[in-house]
Each structure stands twice: as C-alpha cells, then as structure tokens.
C-alpha cells in the first residue's frame, strides 16, 4: 500500500474476458481466455466495483476453485482440458483455546503428536491452542463455521492428556473454526498460470500450510509476473501441469 496499491474489500462475482479459439495438434478446439476486468461486489451493498486489469492473481484460498469455475475451468467436457477443475475446496478445521495453569512452561515448542493432535503455548497465562485434522470419512460440513466441541472431547483431549498428563485438568475457554484451501489432488500448493487463462496466476491449495509457505510463494509469483520464470527457487513442480498429467506431489507426515 505504501507503493500505491489500492486495497479493496469485496467478493468477486464475475469476470469480463475475451476468448481466442485455437486448435491442438490433434485437431481439438481449445478456448483461451484473457481477463479484461473483475467485477467486485462491495460488502453490505448492492454496488459493485469493476476493476480493469492486465494480470489477476488467484489467491482466494478455499474458494479459488469456485473463482476458476467463473472462467469455465472444470465445466468443459470431462475428457478435455477445460473439463479438469482446479481441485481446491473448503475443508473446515477447529482450533480450541484451553487453559491449564500446570501445563508446559514458556520454553514449550509447537508440538505435533504422531496422532496428528497438536498444541502450542499461547502467551503467559497458561493458555494453549490445540486441534487436529479429522479422518477423511469424518470431514465436517463446510457450509458453516460452527464448532464441534464433541470433536475435542472425543478426538483431541485424550491424545493431549496422553502426551502431557497435566492436560487432564485443562479447561476449554474458547474455540473457532476456519477453512483450509484443501487440494484434493495431493494436498500441495498450485503455483503459476492455468494453461487456458493467459493472465491469471494461481497461488492456492496449500491445505493448511500456506501461511508457512507464503513468503516464498509471494516472491515466486512476483518473479513469474516480472521475469516470466522462477528465479530464487525452482517451483515448477507445483504448476498446474502435474494435475493435467496426473502426477501428484505427495508428502509424508503432513498434519
């Protein structure tokens, strides 16, 4: 913002774009789109702001797949490039704040149990935050942000108390829910351009570790825009190509 960026809060409701028709080597028709402007619905208002643009960065997190659908991505024939969706969807996760005066001290690290339950100390008052990702078959309803306190009672607390016996006497003081931008393909980020949209860059699908990756991803996307290639780190493996070729980039020990 200090360099002249105008920050605008709202929800993208539509795009204006041009379409160029190209033929593949196999004789199939391919529609290439170029975004001309973005329609942004202003909060608590019927007004919208059209934003003319030369470049769009889709960093819409859990809703980046929905944004791509507005440009026809994933809506084409199933056996075509346009029929392959951006595999990112919202997955709801809970964070619980607990109080335990006799819990681990100030030098406690961020601890992740082998079961997937995690905790870390929060401030000086004996407070901690904790949570865990549910099993695939237990994924909660992502249409709301209601907190399931029974999930803590049944899945999180027993593991916490097993790891740190002092947590047997903890008390939950508050909790909240939020969305992961969950990449259903391989739970890893998607960085770079989509082959059918020649001025939209993606930075999405980090499945819960995007905050940790964000400094590097921000630099990487800036390099793609300014230099046309990665300079600092070679992140070509995170491109959309691996989804087209069905080559997942899987990691072990992801929480």
């Amino acid at each position: 913002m200090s360099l002249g960026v105008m920050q605008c809060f709202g929800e993208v409701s539509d795009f204006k774009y041009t379409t160029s028709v190209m033929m593949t080597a196999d004789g199939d028709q391919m529609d290439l789109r170029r975004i001309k402007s973005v329609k942004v619905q202003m909060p608590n208002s019927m007004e919208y702001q059209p934003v003319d643009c030369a470049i769009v960065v889709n960093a819409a997190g859990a809703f980046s797949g929905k944004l791509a659908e507005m440009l026809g991505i994933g809506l084409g024939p199933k056996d075509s490039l346009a029929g392959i969706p951006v595999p990112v969807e919202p997955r709801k996760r809970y964070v619980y704040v607990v109080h335990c005066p006799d819990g681990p001290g100030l030098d406690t690290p961020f601890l992740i149990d082998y079961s997937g339950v995690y905790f870390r100390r929060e401030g000086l008052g004996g407070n901690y935050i904790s949570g865990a990702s549910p099993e695939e078959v237990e994924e909660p309803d992502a249409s709301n942000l209601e907190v399931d306190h029974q999930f803590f009672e049944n899945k999180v607390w027993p593991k916490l108390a097993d790891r740190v016996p002092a947590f047997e006497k903890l008390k939950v003081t508050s909790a909240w829910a939020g969305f992961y931008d969950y990449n259903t393909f391989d739970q890893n980020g998607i960085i770079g351009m989509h082959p059918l949209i020649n001025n939209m860059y993606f930075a999405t699908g980090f499945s819960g570790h995007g905050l940790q990756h964000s400094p590097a991803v921000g630099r990487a996307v800036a390099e793609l825009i300014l230099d046309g290639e990665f300079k600092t780190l070679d992140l070509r493996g995170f491109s959309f190509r691996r989804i087209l070729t069905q080559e997942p980039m899987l990691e072990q020990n992801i929480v």
Side-chain angles (χ1 to χ4, degrees):
M1 292 172 68
S2 67
L3 296 174
V5 173
M6 185 176 72
Q7 193 172 30
C8 172
F9 293 95
E11 181 176 344
V12 174
S13 59
D14 203 0
F15 293 95
K16 278 190 176 181
Y17 55 84
T18 58
T19 303
S20 302
V21 178
M22 298 188 68
M23 303 300 291
T24 67
D26 298 326
D28 297 323
Q29 179 177 308
M30 200 161 58
D31 295 336
L32 301 182
R33 292 182 170 86
R34 183 172 184 83
I35 301 167
K36 293 296 184 181
S37 67
V38 183
K39 185 177 179 180
V40 180
Q41 185 76 41
M42 307 310 289
N44 304 314
S45 172
M46 296 297 290
E47 296 183 9
Y48 70 89
Q49 178 69 43
V51 180
D52 294 335
C53 57
I55 291 171
V56 176
V57 178
N58 186 343
F63 306 100
S64 53
K66 179 182 176 183
L67 216 62
E69 279 188 6
M70 295 181 188
L71 292 158
I73 302 303
L75 302 180
K78 294 300 181 185
D79 58 347
S80 70
L81 186 55
I84 301 174
V86 175
V88 178
E89 64 183 33
R91 293 283 180 98
K92 185 164 71 172
R93 296 291 181 264
Y94 312 116
V95 179
Y96 303 92
V97 181
V98 304
H99 183 250
C100 184
D102 299 323
L106 293 176
D107 58 349
T108 304
F110 175 41
L111 187 146
I112 305 172
D113 186 69
Y114 64 86
S115 65
V117 171
Y118 69 85
F119 77 88
R120 73 169 172 84
R121 191 177 176 97
E122 184 81 349
L124 301 175
N127 295 312
Y128 304 82
I129 62 172
S130 181
S133 293
E135 298 292 333
E136 192 79 19
V137 295
E138 299 176 326
E139 280 292 344
D141 179 11
S143 66
N144 61 66
L145 287 174
E146 296 176 2
V147 175
D148 182 356
H149 289 276
Q150 207 61 42
F151 181 77
F152 180 82
E153 296 277 343
N154 297 336
K155 301 292 185 178
V156 180
W157 195 1
K159 299 296 183 183
L160 283 178
D162 184 57
R163 173 62 64 176
V164 181
F167 281 150
E168 291 180 0
K169 300 179 181 179
L170 62 76
K171 179 181 179 181
V172 178
T173 57
S174 64
W176 72 89
F179 292 126
Y180 275 5
D181 56 335
Y182 192 84
N183 181 346
T184 59
F185 181 65
D186 61 8
Q187 295 82 63
N188 255 315
I190 302 171
I191 305 171
M193 296 183 71
H194 190 283
L196 295 182
I197 313 170
N198 64 15
N199 63 338
M200 175 181 274
Y201 294 84
F202 284 82
T204 186
F206 295 95
S207 306
H209 42 272
L211 182 63
Q212 299 167 29
H213 290 174
S214 58
V217 174
R219 176 183 286 265
V221 173
E223 289 172 353
L224 285 180
I225 293 171
L226 296 174
D227 303 314
E229 61 180 345
F230 296 118
K231 294 286 190 178
T232 308
L233 295 171
D234 184 355
L235 301 181
R236 287 177 294 177
F238 291 97
S239 75
F240 202 83
R241 178 181 295 275
R242 77 181 193 277
I243 298 165
L244 305 181
T245 57
Q246 291 295 294
E247 297 178 33
M249 181 181 287
L250 298 170
E251 294 185 56
Q252 300 299 317
N253 304 318
I254 291 295
V255 177

